[in-house]
Amino acid sequence: MSLEMTPGLRSTYKQRYEPNDDGLRFQDLVFEGNFVGQEPLRDGILGDKVQKQRAKSKVLEKVSKEDVLVDQFTLDELNDLNNYLAWNIWDVLVMRATEGVSGMIPRQEYEILAFMHQFYRWPEVLRMTTDEVGAQGILDIGASARREIGTKVNAVHDWSIGAVGFGMGRCGLLALEAIGPNDYIEESNELLKFMQRIEYGKRQDGYILNSQDRYRCQIHEPDFLAGIINQLETLEPGSPKHDSFTRFNAAAELLAFLDHMDCRLGLGDTGPYELDNGNILILRDLFVNEPIFHWSDVCDDAGLPHAYTIAIEIDPEILGLQEIRVNDISTTFTRPKNYIPAIVGGAVFAREQWDTPMKDVRSIAIDDLGGELPKIQDATLKMYGKVSRMCRRDLIWAGQYVYYVDMILPYLRKAGTYEKACDEYQLWEVDQRVSNYYYDISKRGFAQEVVPQKIFSGQGYLPFGEGADLRRSKYRWL
Amino acid sequence: MQVVAEGFNAFETQKSPKGEVKFLGSPKDVIEVVRSGKLQDYILLVRGGTTTFLTPALSMGASGVITMSGAPESHLGILSREFQIPCVMTAYLTSSESRYAVGNTDDAHFEEIADTLVGKTVQLHCDDAEVGRVSIVS
């Protein structure tokens, strides 16, 4: 059996979980952000450690439920979260900054519009949702992820509330000079508090982000997880069954990306969970049919469920695993990079609708995936044809809706406030300010150069000023 | 082995596909090459490093990909590993000083690479953990 990786390399990944270990470097670049004049930060475990050391508050340490239930962050806490998220965004996204243009979907353009829309519009909707279910109710929504698969209450959505809506949204508006550093502090608190409550409810270990826990997202209750582990089938690397499983995973993942306009909201990993035999398990949700998007009609026609969940068992010794990161955008990266040949077990599940009860989630035998794959390919080809016919403006606004609506959709659904947000808060309307920005984002390379540069360098995440009023919104347009 | 281009290697593999370099500049090009029935005869050259542009080609079994931007952490990098399709990313010509830089790369950079590679039969070498190479076969 050719494993196509360094022969004889022994697994050392558990060393990454020792307190004194600083982790590997996944990239050579460094991050300065708001730490001007100080030693630049590095990626990974080391970057997280230094961030915690530089924080003025305890908000990056393990927090308590009582902390989370408090409605108001202090100014130091807000700034510590701002600085941390700026680094975290760089940590998970900077390598993507080399991607260039898609050739089909104007992603930079729709992203920046969505960031700004989120910052303006989400606070009101999230406040309404908190008012409806209470602070404990928000924790409970986060906790629901502990006993579900195929749920969008997951790392990438949870992270997006703060990192995207607050962090990148505020950064974009600052870059556009539409707001100043001390504007919208009250709204910023609303966004970050909602994120903290969801994340705390989900993780229940005091941390809110995977990067704070050495890139682990081990959220499932043991008895729930056991029900999944029991269904793992053995896969011999290089066998037809192994090929069928990995090909299904890839094809479903690709459709999930496409259904979400070329973004990772269609994908959600948790783990790594250590199994009794020493192997590790990754659970991957692939949302191949999101019914709120009109272009998902081809997924309905193909008979696809809302989500497939792929359970992936990896032998760390075959891989010679040095480090594994399940990062805060729900994506697993390993060193060595290619873990596919080290997959030794798997299982597949399908959840028909977002609210299908867990007892009704069906498992699909790996031998039966041959019947499932054509449905995915059919929907993929039809969706590609459909998207390739959309004009640039339609593509930008479609992508904008994916970010702006989908990133908070799971919480509104669980809270029962989605319809209210649509009917009373006009969730699907585009705010006039953001609508006008559409014409600004193509000027002077704003979407493709200025904003990405400020977002990825960390320079654009200006702190709230010393002594700023926590109640402050925006009081003047000058 | 005459290496004409190098870039980030999306994943290490002993697979070393050969084929004529085909530049795909639009979704229409992608659809045409998939419908041609000759998808696996080509090494696909694309400008961007994102996944969705190449969706049908990846799903229907492309044999090798060269990109002129993007990195192994990109969507396309992830999917090339999942599909086990060798992929050299942010490729540059070894005979040229021109390199891709985010937000600071003019069209001449991409055109030079395309002019050099398109129509040539090349082989991808992706057995190194970090660097992927492109050699001329004919």
Side-chain angles (χ1 to χ4, degrees):
Chain A
M1 178 178 66
S2 171
L3 294 174
E4 303 179 344
M5 53 190 64
T6 308
L9 190 63
R10 292 187 57 200
S11 153
T12 60
Y13 82 98
K14 287 186 183 176
Q15 293 174 14
R16 306 290 86 80
Y17 305 136
E18 294 172 3
N20 292 330
D21 191 90
D22 287 339
L24 304 183
R25 302 280 70 76
F26 278 26
Q27 54 180 300
D28 294 330
L29 304 172
V30 292
F31 173 88
E32 185 174 75
N34 283 327
F35 302 106
V36 179
Q38 299 184 55
E39 185 177 348
L41 293 167
R42 305 303 301 264
D43 70 307
I45 293 166
L46 179 60
D48 166 68
K49 276 188 179 182
V50 177
Q51 284 274 22
K52 286 171 179 162
Q53 290 163 2
R54 291 181 180 178
K56 291 182 178 175
S57 72
K58 298 292 184 188
V59 75
L60 303 180
E61 305 295 335
K62 289 191 173 183
V63 292
S64 69
K65 184 176 177 182
E66 289 68 34
D67 295 330
V68 174
L69 288 173
V70 172
D71 288 331
Q72 179 67 57
F73 287 114
T74 66
L75 199 58
D76 282 344
E77 288 173 333
L78 289 173
N79 277 327
D80 286 339
L81 287 167
N82 178 55
N83 291 344
Y84 192 89
L85 288 168
W87 165 81
N88 180 292
I89 289 163
W90 170 85
D91 184 46
V92 298
L93 293 182
V94 73
M95 294 299 283
R96 269 188 48 200
T98 64
E99 278 179 3
V101 295
S102 140
M104 188 161 75
I105 297 172
R107 208 173 64 207
Q108 286 104 332
E109 288 85 347
Y110 85 59
E111 284 178 342
I112 184 57
L113 285 173
F115 298 160
M116 297 189 285
H117 208 188
Q118 292 163 348
F119 187 76
Y120 279 142
R121 296 289 313 282
W122 277 0
E124 182 184 42
V125 176
L126 297 182
R127 180 181 298 142
M128 175 272 285
T129 298
T130 303
D131 288 345
E132 290 277 339
V133 301
Q136 179 63 49
I138 304 301
L139 266 65
D140 293 342
I141 290 171
S144 68
R146 299 176 67 80
R147 304 195 70 84
E148 292 191 39
I149 53 175
T151 175
K152 283 187 169 181
V153 180
N154 63 10
V156 63
H157 283 78
D158 305 345
W159 172 89
S160 291
I161 308 166
V164 183
F166 161 74
M168 292 193 249
R170 182 169 173 269
C171 186
L173 289 165
L174 287 166
L176 195 65
E177 298 179 1
I179 68 171
N182 285 354
D183 291 332
Y184 296 109
I185 302 178
E186 179 188 357
E187 288 85 348
S188 298
N189 182 78
E190 200 71 48
L191 293 167
L192 290 169
K193 185 52 75 171
F194 198 96
M195 177 190 76
Q196 186 196 42
R197 286 170 175 166
I198 288 287
E199 296 267 25
Y200 180 88
K202 180 187 70 181
R203 294 190 59 93
Q204 296 190 7
D205 64 355
Y207 288 133
I208 59 173
L209 296 169
N210 300 347
S211 59
Q212 292 175 282
D213 187 33
R214 295 167 184 260
Y215 299 90
R216 289 175 288 193
C217 186
Q218 299 165 329
I219 61 166
H220 288 306
E221 300 290 355
D223 65 314
F224 177 81
L225 198 57
I228 299 212
I229 294 168
N230 288 342
Q231 299 188 58
L232 287 168
E233 296 183 52
T234 301
L235 297 170
E236 176 67 26
S239 67
K241 196 167 177 172
H242 187 277
D243 290 347
S244 173
F245 178 76
T246 54
R247 183 165 184 76
F248 177 83
N249 169 55
E253 190 171 311
L254 191 48
L255 176 59
F257 276 137
L258 187 58
D259 195 31
H260 292 77
M261 288 284 147
D262 197 11
C263 91
R264 294 181 203 210
L265 291 182
L267 169 70
D269 285 2
T270 66
Y273 304 100
E274 186 172 358
L275 303 177
D276 289 342
N277 62 6
N279 291 340
I280 56 176
L281 181 74
I282 295 293
L283 286 179
R284 173 166 302 152
D285 295 320
L286 299 168
F287 301 96
V288 293
N289 185 358
E290 177 46 73
I292 65 162
F293 305 141
H294 64 75
W295 51 89
S296 288
D297 59 345
V298 297
C299 304
D300 290 340
D301 293 346
L304 290 174
H306 176 55
Y308 291 110
T309 298
I310 319 280
I312 304 170
E313 181 183 355
I314 296 168
D315 184 334
E317 297 308 325
I318 290 179
L319 183 57
L321 184 61
Q322 308 298 297
E323 183 168 336
I324 181 167
R325 295 184 190 174
V326 178
N327 69 20
D328 286 296
I329 54 173
S330 275
T331 307
T332 300
F333 289 109
T334 57
R335 289 294 183 271
K337 286 179 283 194
N338 182 17
Y339 59 80
I340 302 298
I343 294 174
V344 294
V348 179
F349 305 88
R351 191 172 190 178
E352 294 304 327
Q353 310 288 338
W354 73 267
D355 57 351
T356 297
M358 276 296 106
K359 66 181 177 54
D360 296 331
V361 169
R362 61 187 169 92
S363 61
I364 303 171
I366 293 175
D367 284 339
D368 293 339
L369 291 179
E372 209 74 13
L373 185 61
K375 293 194 285 187
I376 293 173
Q377 290 175 321
D378 177 44
T380 300
L381 293 174
K382 285 178 178 165
M383 190 176 292
Y384 189 87
K386 179 186 281 250
V387 172
S388 69
R389 287 176 175 83
M390 291 167 71
C391 69
R392 183 174 182 274
R393 188 181 180 109
D394 283 352
L395 287 167
I396 288 174
W397 287 112
Q400 190 276 152
Y401 282 125
V402 169
Y403 267 39
Y404 164 69
V405 177
D406 193 275
M407 282 182 182
I408 57 169
L409 177 66
Y411 321 111
L412 306 189
R413 277 172 166 164
K414 291 273 188 187
T417 57
Y418 174 65
E419 296 301 332
K420 184 173 183 177
C422 293
D423 297 341
E424 297 180 25
Y425 291 74
Q426 297 177 285
L427 181 67
W428 283 80
E429 258 304 346
V430 179
D431 188 276
Q432 213 171 100
R433 292 164 292 186
V434 176
S435 190
N436 288 337
Y437 296 156
Y438 175 83
Y439 298 98
D440 288 325
I441 59 170
S442 297
K443 296 174 185 169
R444 300 177 297 280
F446 184 74
Q448 294 193 346
E449 295 169 35
V450 176
V451 169
Q453 196 276 333
K454 287 186 179 291
I455 284 174
F456 292 127
S457 71
Q459 293 171 1
Y461 301 83
L462 304 180
F464 300 106
E466 194 173 337
D469 190 334
L470 293 171
R471 299 168 301 175
R472 188 178 169 84
S473 181
K474 183 171 176 67
Y475 298 125
R476 67 186 81 97
W477 289 83
L478 296 173
Chain B
M1 177 172 76
Q2 184 197 351
V3 175
V4 291
E6 292 183 351
F8 300 123
N9 187 16
F11 68 98
E12 59 274 38
T13 174
Q14 295 300 324
K15 286 184 181 177
S16 191
K18 295 178 191 174
E20 180 186 333
V21 175
K22 179 89 168 176
F23 178 70
L24 303 177
S26 70
K28 186 181 168 192
D29 294 342
V30 178
I31 292 169
E32 280 180 5
V33 78
V34 169
R35 286 181 177 163
S36 72
K38 296 179 180 177
L39 175 63
Q40 289 166 0
D41 294 342
Y42 296 116
I43 299 295
L44 306 177
L45 176 66
V46 294
R47 186 160 161 163
T50 59
T51 306
T52 44
F53 175 71
L54 273 177
T55 292
L58 296 174
S59 207
M60 302 308 285
S63 58
V65 175
I66 303 169
T67 77
M68 292 186 268
S69 58
E73 283 73 13
S74 70
H75 297 179
L76 182 55
I78 294 168
L79 263 296
S80 70
R81 288 192 286 281
E82 306 281 11
F83 278 111
Q84 295 286 285
I85 298 170
C87 182
V88 178
M89 311 191 77
T90 311
Y92 59 88
L93 298 174
T94 53
S95 61
S96 171
E97 296 295 313
S98 183
R99 298 291 182 270
Y100 175 78
V102 180
N104 191 28
T105 308
D106 60 30
D107 287 344
H109 172 80
F110 304 108
E111 289 163 3
E112 182 185 25
I113 295 173
D115 289 346
T116 303
L117 295 180
V118 170
K120 301 283 196 326
T121 299
V122 303
Q123 185 167 15
L124 303 187
H125 306 276
C126 298
D127 53 346
D128 184 273
E130 303 299 330
V131 180
R133 297 179 174 85
V134 181
S135 69
I136 294 283
V137 174
S138 63

